[in-house]
Amino acid sequence: MRARRAAEASVLAAHRAGEDPRLLVLDRGMPWKNVVFAHALPVLFTISPASNGNWMVDTMPPEPGSFDQRLPLPADWAGLEAAALAERSGVADAVFVHLRRFVGAAKSREGAVAMARLAMAG
């Protein structure tokens, strides 16, 4: 219970500190979706570090349990990796975007944020 409250406080603090309320940037991995739902935050993407050193771009589902996304990553990025994704997206350190467009990654926090911003710009 204490860990869940601490994660909730961290997620809310990160959201308040962010430049764009649609983008949640976390300094470490933690449960965040339930906090976004519970507080009706307008989050579209969450950026967080992965255990392999990459930074993940996670999409937000429209409601709990859904496999849809409020805003999927761009269709022309779907299934691309490394150089092909970097060229298509314009993000030099982009690593991959899943074929179903619900998750992607970059080698840096800045790259992951850039991917999310580009996706929001449409």
Side-chain angles (χ1 to χ4, degrees):
M1 188 66 143
R2 180 179 292 173
R4 192 169 73 222
R5 282 198 299 267
E8 181 175 26
S10 293
V11 169
L12 292 174
H15 189 259
R16 281 192 301 275
E19 298 173 24
D20 186 327
R22 301 170 300 167
L23 186 58
L24 175 63
V25 181
L26 302 172
D27 290 328
R28 59 186 171 84
M30 65 184 74
W32 54 270
K33 287 182 185 173
N34 287 338
V35 178
V36 171
F37 287 130
H39 294 271
L41 302 177
V43 171
L44 297 177
F45 298 101
T46 296
I47 309 300
S48 62
S51 60
N52 64 4
N54 288 334
W55 282 77
M56 303 305 295
V57 182
D58 286 299
T59 60
M60 183 67 198
E63 64 265 334
S66 173
F67 290 104
D68 290 331
Q69 302 93 35
R70 289 180 178 175
L71 179 65
L73 290 163
D76 63 341
W77 298 0
L80 296 181
E81 297 181 19
L85 179 58
E87 183 178 332
R88 180 75 51 89
S89 68
V91 177
D93 70 343
V95 175
F96 83 95
V97 168
H98 191 279
L99 191 59
R100 295 189 56 195
R101 301 164 41 210
F102 69 93
V103 66
K107 291 179 183 171
S108 69
R109 174 184 175 139
E110 295 75 20
V113 169
M115 289 173 71
R117 290 192 189 288
L118 287 165
M120 290 187 300

